[in-house]
Amino acid sequence: MHPIKQLPTIILGLAILAGCAGGRSALSNAEKLEREGRLDEAVLKYAEVSGANPDVGEYRVRFLQASAAAAKKHMKKGEEFLAADKYDEALREYQTAFALDPSLQQAKQQSDLVIRLRNSLVYLKEGEEFEKSRKPKEAIRSYQKALEFNQKNEAAKNAVERLLKSKKPKMDGYELNLKSNKPLTLKFKDAKIKEVFNIISQLSGINFVFDEGVKDQNFSIYLENATFQQALDIICGVNKLGKKVLNENTIIIYTKSPEKTKQYEELIVQTFYLNKLDAKKAVNLIRTMLQVKKIYVNEEMNALVIRDTPEVIEVAQKILDANDVPDAEVVLEVEVIEISKGNVENFGLALSQYAVSTAAAKEGASTFLSDVLVPPTTTSSSTTPSTTNTDNLLNLFRWRGFNGFLTVPNATFNFGKTLSNGETLANPKIRVKNREKAKFNVGTRVPITTTSTNGTSIGVNVNVQYVDVGVKMNAEPTIQLNNEVSIKLSLEVSSILSKDKIGDASSLTTVVTIGTATLTPC
C-alpha cells in the first residue's frame, strides 16, 4: 500500500486521539481539583467535561459524585454559620448545597428554617420601632408575626405579653376607656347587685346602665387580683345577666331571657368559603364544637353561612382556619442510572488481528517467490511485532536484486483506563401526598408463554403471562408539622438471567430465570 494513500487515515486517527486526549486531560484537571479539596471548581470542570462529551457515561457519574461531595461540604458550613446566628451566610451555604445536590432535602429544609428565623428577626425589629413610636397595635401585630415565623423568639414573646398587659380591654368591638388597669379585689357577702356594680364603676371609670328587668337581689362574691373583664363575666354569669357595650365608657346590663337577648344581642352573618374541607363535614364540626343559632350549607360553592353573635363567629372562624388546610405534599426527584463497571487498562500500541505475508520477485520476473523464499505466516493478535526480523528480510531482498512488499496490520495507539459506563434510564418527578404510597417502575414486561394442545392439529392453546423486570421503587412520605420529611423507601432491581423452553411440541413452556436485589426499610 502506498504511503500517500494512508495519509487521510493517519490524520483522522490523530484527530480522534487528540479528542480523547482533550477529554482525558480535562478529566485529570477535575480530579486534581477534587483531590485538593476545591470541590466547587471540580464540579464546574466535571460539568464542562460531561457537557462536551454527553455520550461518555463516566463523566456524568464523576460529575454527580463531585456534586454530592461539594453539597455536603456546604451543608457543614451552613450548620456552623447557623450555630453562630449568621443567618445570611448560613442561607447562602444551604442554598448552594441544594443547588449542587437537589436530592439533599435536608439542605432545602434548613434553608427554609433560616429564612423563617431571619424573617422573625426582621419583624422583631419592626415591632420595636413601632413600640418606640407609641403604636402599640402595630407593634403587637409585628411581634405576633415574628412568633409565627419562630415560636422560640423569646424577645417577641415577652414584648407581646408586656403590651397585652398594658392594652385596653376590648368588648364587642370597643376598647374600654378604663381608669386603671390594676387588678380588682372584690369581697362582698349578701350585697346588692347594683351596689357591687357601683363599686366597680368607681374603680374602673366605666358607667353601667340597668335594664328595667334587672332585679336588685343579694349575692356574695370573693375575687382577688381579677381583671375588669373577668370580674364582669363572673358577676353576670352568676346572676344570669347579659351585657352589651354601648361605647368606650358605658355598658348596659340586662336579664338573660329570650326576649331581652333578642332585643340587645347583635347578630351578624358571615359566609366561609372552604378550600379543602368538605362543607358537609364542616357543618358537623361546627355544630359539635359550638351552639350556633343559624347555619346553612352551600354544597355547590362548598361554603358555610353562619348567623350568630360576633363572639361565636370569631370562634367558628378559628375552627375552620385550623381544619381547612390542604394535604401536605412532597415532590420526589428520581434519577435511575444504569452503570456498568470494568477494570480494563490499555496503554501502548495495539495491533489488529492480521496475517503477515511477504513476497519478492526478480526484476522482470512474472511470478512472485513468496512460496519459495518466505512462506506465508499467520499469527494472532500480537501487540509487540518484531521489527528487527522485518528489516533483515527486506535487506535480504534488496541485496539479491529482488523487488517486494510486506503487508502489515493496522495499528492503534490506545491509552487510558475504562472506569465506568453510565446511562440515564429515567428522571421523573413524582408528587406524593402525605402518608400516601407512590410507585415507580422502569423496565420491561417479559412474556412467559405456555403452549398446550389436545393431541390434534387444531385447538392449540397459548397462555401468556407478563412479569415486570427492571427497577421498582415504592415511597411513602410522612410530613411533620415542622416540615421535616421522613420517607419509607423500598427498592427492587431485577434482571433476566436466562430463558429456557421446556416440554415437547404438545406442551411448550418458556421459563425465565430472574435475579432480584431488594432494599426494604427496617
Side-chain angles (χ1 to χ4, degrees):
M1 184 179 293
H2 200 279
I4 297 178
K5 295 181 180 180
Q6 291 182 337
L7 183 59
T9 304
I10 294 174
I11 294 175
L12 178 60
L14 291 175
I16 295 174
L17 290 175
C20 296
R24 287 290 175 179
S25 175
L27 182 63
S28 299
N29 293 335
E31 291 174 342
K32 180 181 178 182
L33 294 172
E34 188 175 3
R35 288 193 300 268
E36 294 175 354
R38 299 158 63 183
L39 297 180
D40 291 347
E41 299 177 49
V43 169
L44 294 177
K45 186 61 68 174
Y46 279 128
E48 178 183 346
V49 176
S50 178
N53 303 273
D55 297 333
V56 183
E58 172 192 352
Y59 296 158
R60 175 164 176 76
V61 172
R62 298 296 294 274
F63 165 72
L64 294 176
Q65 293 174 346
S67 298
K72 291 181 179 179
K73 184 176 180 180
H74 284 284
M75 186 76 183
K76 185 178 179 181
K77 287 184 178 179
E79 296 292 344
E80 294 174 356
F81 284 127
L82 180 59
D85 294 335
K86 297 181 179 180
Y87 297 141
D88 293 338
E89 293 81 354
L91 180 61
R92 182 177 63 251
E93 295 296 332
Y94 286 135
Q95 290 179 341
T96 303
F98 183 70
L100 288 169
D101 186 5
S103 66
L104 193 60
Q105 288 298 317
Q106 186 180 0
K108 179 66 169 59
Q109 294 171 4
Q110 290 295 97
S111 176
D112 295 339
L113 173 62
V114 172
I115 291 175
R116 292 196 301 270
L117 293 176
R118 191 174 63 172
N119 289 342
S120 178
L121 188 61
V122 170
Y123 279 106
L124 175 64
K125 293 181 179 179
E126 183 182 75
E128 292 174 348
E129 293 296 328
F130 281 130
E131 193 172 358
K132 291 179 181 178
S133 303
R134 295 182 179 181
K135 298 180 180 179
K137 292 182 181 179
E138 292 79 359
I140 291 177
R141 191 179 301 115
S142 297
Y143 288 139
Q144 290 175 341
K145 199 71 177 178
L147 289 175
E148 290 180 7
F149 285 105
N150 180 18
Q151 296 180 356
K152 297 181 180 179
N153 192 331
E154 295 295 333
K157 188 181 299 184
N158 296 334
V160 170
E161 293 178 356
R162 182 181 66 253
L163 290 177
L164 288 179
K165 289 181 180 179
S166 61
K167 184 181 178 182
K168 296 180 180 180
K170 189 174 182 179
M171 295 178 61
D172 295 344
Y174 293 95
E175 286 190 356
L176 299 180
N177 189 16
L178 296 177
K179 183 188 298 185
S180 173
N181 289 322
K182 293 182 179 180
L184 302 178
T185 299
L186 303 175
K187 295 182 180 180
F188 294 97
K189 183 178 180 181
D190 295 331
K192 299 292 184 180
I193 293 178
K194 294 184 179 180
E195 292 181 0
V196 175
F197 275 109
N198 185 32
I199 297 298
I200 296 176
S201 178
Q202 296 177 10
L203 295 175
S204 61
I206 301 297
N207 302 316
F208 293 98
V209 178
F210 298 95
D211 182 80
E212 58 183 8
V214 178
K215 296 180 180 180
D216 195 14
Q217 60 188 10
N218 296 336
F219 83 107
S220 300
I221 183 172
Y222 298 92
L223 286 178
E224 288 188 3
N225 297 325
T227 63
F228 171 81
Q229 189 164 355
Q230 289 174 344
L232 190 60
D233 290 340
I234 292 174
I235 296 173
C236 292
V238 170
N239 295 279
K240 297 181 180 180
L241 300 175
K243 58 184 182 297
K244 179 177 177 59
V245 180
L246 298 180
N247 52 49
E248 290 84 356
N249 299 303
T250 306
I251 298 176
I252 187 170
I253 305 297
Y254 60 90
T255 304
K256 267 193 174 180
S257 62
E259 295 79 10
K260 294 297 181 181
T261 301
K262 186 176 181 180
Q263 177 182 350
Y264 289 104
E265 197 171 50
E266 182 181 358
L267 300 180
I268 61 175
V269 178
Q270 185 165 342
T271 303
F272 299 93
Y273 296 96
L274 306 176
N275 297 319
K276 180 63 179 177
L277 187 62
D278 185 73
K280 292 182 178 179
K281 295 181 179 179
V283 70
N284 293 332
L285 175 63
I286 295 298
R287 285 174 175 169
T288 302
M289 303 300 297
L290 295 173
Q291 292 182 353
V292 293
K293 297 183 182 300
K294 297 289 183 180
I295 185 168
Y296 172 76
V297 178
N298 189 336
E299 295 184 14
E300 295 181 356
M301 301 186 67
N302 196 37
L304 294 182
V305 182
I306 301 177
R307 181 174 183 266
D308 213 308
T309 62
E311 292 83 1
V312 174
I313 294 293
E314 184 179 358
V315 176
Q317 176 79 56
K318 293 180 179 179
I319 294 174
L320 294 175
D321 289 344
N323 291 274
D324 185 28
V325 293
D327 294 334
E329 295 180 338
V330 295
V331 177
L332 304 178
E333 294 188 8
V334 182
E335 185 171 5
V336 181
I337 302 176
E338 183 181 34
I339 299 178
S340 60
K341 295 183 178 180
N343 296 321
V344 180
E345 295 185 4
N346 296 317
F347 190 85
L349 184 65
L351 301 180
S352 63
Q353 299 286 343
Y354 63 92
V356 177
S357 63
T358 58
K362 279 276 190 178
E363 292 184 4
S366 59
T367 59
F368 286 96
L369 303 179
S370 57
D371 294 335
V372 179
L373 296 177
V374 183
T377 304
T378 302
T379 59
S380 60
S381 186
S382 173
T383 57
T384 313
S386 176
T387 56
T388 304
N389 293 336
T390 303
D391 293 340
N392 292 336
L393 183 61
L394 291 177
N395 290 333
L396 176 63
F397 288 161
R398 296 191 187 97
W399 181 68
R400 293 189 177 183
F402 292 99
N403 289 326
F405 64 86
L406 176 66
T407 301
V408 297
N410 294 330
T412 303
F413 193 81
N414 189 7
F415 62 94
K417 181 178 181 180
T418 302
L419 294 176
S420 61
N421 183 21
E423 180 183 358
T424 300
L425 301 181
N427 185 19
K429 292 184 179 180
I430 307 173
R431 194 181 187 95
V432 192
K433 290 185 178 181
N434 185 26
R435 301 183 186 277
E436 290 190 2
K437 293 183 180 180
K439 295 182 179 181
F440 170 71
N441 296 334
V442 175
T444 58
R445 303 195 71 189
V446 179
I448 300 176
T449 60
T450 302
T451 305
S452 61
T453 63
N454 55 7
T456 63
S457 59
I458 59 175
V460 178
N461 297 323
V462 179
N463 183 21
V464 181
Q465 295 180 346
Y466 289 90
V467 178
D468 293 327
V469 177
V471 179
K472 298 179 182 179
M473 187 193 73
N474 296 330
E476 182 180 355
T478 301
I479 306 173
Q480 309 295 338
L481 294 178
N482 57 356
N483 290 331
E484 291 185 0
V485 181
S486 60
I487 302 178
K488 292 182 181 179
L489 187 67
S490 62
L491 185 66
E492 178 182 312
V493 181
S494 57
S495 60
I496 300 175
L497 300 182
S498 64
K499 280 187 178 182
D500 301 308
K501 293 186 177 182
I502 60 174
D504 51 18
S506 61
S507 179
L508 188 61
T509 303
T510 302
V511 179
V512 180
T513 303
I514 300 175
T516 304
T518 305
L519 174 66
T520 56
C522 299

